[in-house]
Amino acid sequence: MTQGAAFKTVLASVLALGLAACREDEQGRPLYHKPGVYKGQPDTKLDEQQRETLRQRTRHQFD
């Protein structure tokens, strides 16, 4: 294998690896984060029964 062919093979391998690393589920995600700024969805309100269930669960933690 000549030096030029080896270079082309390595270059093609690096290019293929770089393209494979760009997964679709990672596209559009935030890359820069500001401390103290939450950009997610707002939390949903808990109803009274959900709150009571949580109260009962936490009572067992302090026994």
Side-chain angles (χ1 to χ4, degrees):
M1 183 180 271
T2 65
Q3 192 175 13
F7 176 74
K8 288 179 185 178
T9 303
V10 170
L11 183 63
S13 298
V14 170
L15 183 61
L17 179 64
L19 290 175
C22 297
R23 295 189 310 212
E24 188 174 333
D25 58 329
E26 291 184 355
Q27 301 302 315
R29 67 186 173 120
L31 298 177
Y32 302 103
H33 301 280
K34 294 181 183 176
V37 177
Y38 179 69
K39 295 185 178 183
Q41 298 293 328
D43 291 336
T44 58
K45 300 281 184 184
L46 297 177
D47 62 27
E48 188 57 39
Q49 183 169 354
Q50 290 171 320
R51 279 189 251 154
E52 184 58 34
T53 302
L54 287 172
R55 282 187 205 106
Q56 290 174 4
R57 289 175 56 190
T58 57
R59 283 186 190 125
H60 299 290
Q61 294 177 0
F62 300 107
D63 289 340

